[in-house]
Amino acid sequence: MGKNKEGNNGRPFEIPRPTFPKRAVVTGGMPYGNKELHFGHVGGMLVFADTYARFLRDRIGRENVIFVSGTDCYGSPIAEGWRVKVKNGEFDGTLEQFVERNHNKQKATLDEYGISPNLFGASGLGRTKEIHAEVTDLFLRSLYKKGQLSKITTQQFFDEKAGVFLNGRQVIGKCPVEGCTSEKGYADECDLGHQYMPENLINPVSTLTGETPTMRPVTNWYFNLRDYEKLLQDWVEELKKRKDVRPVVWKTISEFLKPPVIYVKREFEEKYLSLKSQLPEHEYFEEPKKPSFTIQFSALTDCDEACRVLTENGIRYRTGKTLVPFRLTGNIEWGVPAPVLEGEEPHTVWVWPESLWAPISFTEAYLESIGHDRAEWKDYWCSKDASVYQFIGQDNIYFYGIAEPAMWMAQQTSTDKTCDSPEGELQMPIIVANHHILFLDKKASSSGAVKPPMADDLLSHYTPEQLRMHWLGLGLGQRSVSFMPKPYNPDAKPEDSDPVVKDGLLLSNVYNRMIRTAFYTTQKLFDGVMPDNAPEQQFLDDAKKTVLEYERHMSKFAFHQCTYVLDSYIRNGSKYMAKALREDTPPEEAAQALANLFYIIRITGILLHPMAPFGTEKLREYLIADERIWSWDTILEPINYFTGKQHKLKFLPPRTDFFTRHESQFETEKAE
């Protein structure tokens, strides 16, 4: 399954190595089309997706890896964002022009950071819009034919003063889910990703008029998510055994795989007891140390009926996390057209479901763009020797870890399969969820009190590679971590070091100096021709150990551990250089020392290539080597394996840097 090729003139790796698929899709969560990218989009998720995609391209071959992401064009956040900007005189174009402008800005930002999707699509623009609409229609019709969709009538918020139904972002209240502190609960989900029925939202207010909206019945298509509770529980048990799935994923999924419950404030206990006979059958749990008691139901419909009775009688309560029917359609105009399945009025698809299969649409669009048959998407999404890696933030685990796998399971058992292919069924994606990346120790949000810095603005203070290395080293796979850039930190003192700059010094100071020393010494002693000496055995052994350790951590998405491995290897190489290459080192000794040093530089370069692409590609340019130098098939070979003997390097002018600090950081030093 994985490529465990021998390297370094046939010397094998002696220990078992992690295996990798023959083909892979890497996806990055899609940013909404109502805004430019802020630091959380890039530093909390997309840098990690890009790093892993680049690693896989080197590890299994770039022709076998498709990295897709794109702008989430549809839904109420975009429509409402456009409406507000037009109202305030900040934009005067159409909704589609608004989305296109933001999409182009997002794409330009990714280019600045070296984030390299094969396709950064847009669900509502151009050819990707057309393909996405086709995939959406096929996907929903397949679920319908399988009998996994239900028409459910619910209450939707209606603004009597404005005379309109309110879309998801035009009503705001407090999330009703127990334990959630979000004050930004929208129609049927809060900003932390919790799902609930609209009528359970606490203290709803219309954002159009500020009035309390009423409720009117609407009918939509829902996916029967609760039918997959047992399959999801079995899947979670499998996830617990996997080393490449972070605990936050299966722990979060497990929270929703419980019977529906209601938490009632203890002050209402007497009133509850008087109404107990009016409620559907349930269990009562005392829980004396808590400020509320719990009532548990066997069916979600019973829980909903109990909520209605409690509300009518003025009893305050919170609902627990549980599986609820997953809404697929809505009445917002700005959305992917939903198929008309039973002669109903035309609807659009709710943005969250269609964004889950958008990466399939984008895979098809990419394959078409390079002249391949769109049907080849099945080789990447359905084949058992392929894998899909989905990089997301922890707030979105409900959608990618519950709703999506359940719909994938439904397609697997469908007689009209979306993935009807001899290659196999839709494979369960590997979910790589990062914890929150905080800003100055607070959770930042474009719609919250603490505004995150925009990704483009950060590039006025740092280089892309300083930021990439800093974010990759934060350990977001283990815990929530704060991003503390000194220029944005009002509490920072002049003498305090900047954590972003500090993390970048490994490259801009240590590794950069190693490369320059190797080149300048070669130019001085050997007219720029690399010595043909083979690296000494201890350097071969050190490289093999480092490569294996790095590979093991990368297979588990432990990016911060990979940066630690590189830190140790680079610093040890720098110490060797200081001892072995001195002004008085004889040429014959210098030749061997340079062979060893260039080998260290080469091994570092290939391991660093996914993380710091600009500097490593510049290194390849001056080595005058082709892209084979990045392939893991020959990872332990020295540089002259690719270039041949008596290879002359590209001339390196004085004071040329491969990795550097931002110009503003030099200005700060002068000022201080």
Side-chain angles (χ1 to χ4, degrees), residues 302-455:
D302 290 344
C303 184
D304 291 340
E305 173 61 19
C307 288
R308 185 189 64 78
V309 173
L310 296 176
T311 300
E312 288 179 352
N313 287 275
I315 296 178
R316 291 173 56 194
Y317 63 88
R318 286 284 187 103
T319 54
K321 297 177 182 178
T322 190
L323 297 184
V324 298
F326 188 54
R327 181 166 66 88
L328 298 177
T329 64
N331 55 16
I332 183 174
E333 291 184 15
W334 180 244
V336 182
V340 177
L341 301 174
E342 293 183 354
E344 68 274 9
E345 288 293 316
H347 283 71
T348 53
V349 181
W350 183 37
V351 63
W352 258 115
E354 49 96 351
S355 70
L356 297 177
W357 55 76
I360 295 177
S361 308
F362 293 169
T363 302
E364 291 193 38
Y366 170 67
L367 289 168
E368 181 184 84
S369 73
I370 60 173
H372 287 224
D373 189 331
R374 281 171 51 188
E376 289 181 24
W377 74 272
K378 298 170 186 175
D379 295 339
Y380 291 86
W381 287 83
C382 304
S383 176
K384 294 187 185 302
D385 59 10
S387 292
V388 177
Y389 303 92
Q390 292 189 318
F391 285 77
I392 63 171
Q394 71 175 97
D395 285 350
N396 294 331
I397 292 175
Y398 179 87
F399 298 103
Y400 289 93
I402 295 176
E404 179 184 292
M407 289 191 293
W408 265 227
M409 291 172 184
Q411 296 289 6
Q412 288 177 352
T413 56
S414 174
T415 56
D416 180 33
K417 296 176 183 175
T418 298
C419 197
D420 187 11
S421 165
E423 296 293 332
E425 301 165 330
L426 274 168
Q427 300 298 302
M428 289 294 149
I430 298 168
I431 301 169
V432 188
N434 274 346
H435 290 263
H436 298 301
I437 182 168
L438 308 175
F439 176 58
L440 304 181
D441 289 329
K442 295 181 176 62
K443 186 175 181 185
S445 167
S446 299
S447 58
V450 180
K451 304 296 182 184
M454 304 310 291

Side-chain angles (χ1 to χ4, degrees), residues 264-279 282 284 286 291-293 295 310 313-316:
V264 183
K265 288 283 187 181
R266 199 162 296 284
E267 62 194 84
F268 295 100
E269 187 164 16
E270 187 174 332
K271 199 169 186 179
Y272 153 76
L273 291 171
S274 68
L275 296 169
K276 186 175 180 180
S277 61
Q278 299 178 35
L279 301 177
H282 61 275
Y284 167 89
E286 172 61 28
S292 60
F293 59 91
I295 52 178
L310 296 176
N313 287 275
I315 296 178
R316 291 173 56 194

Side-chain angles (χ1 to χ4, degrees), residues 205-217:
V205 174
S206 167
T207 62
L208 298 183
T209 63
E211 302 288 325
T212 300
T214 58
M215 304 294 289
R216 293 192 180 184

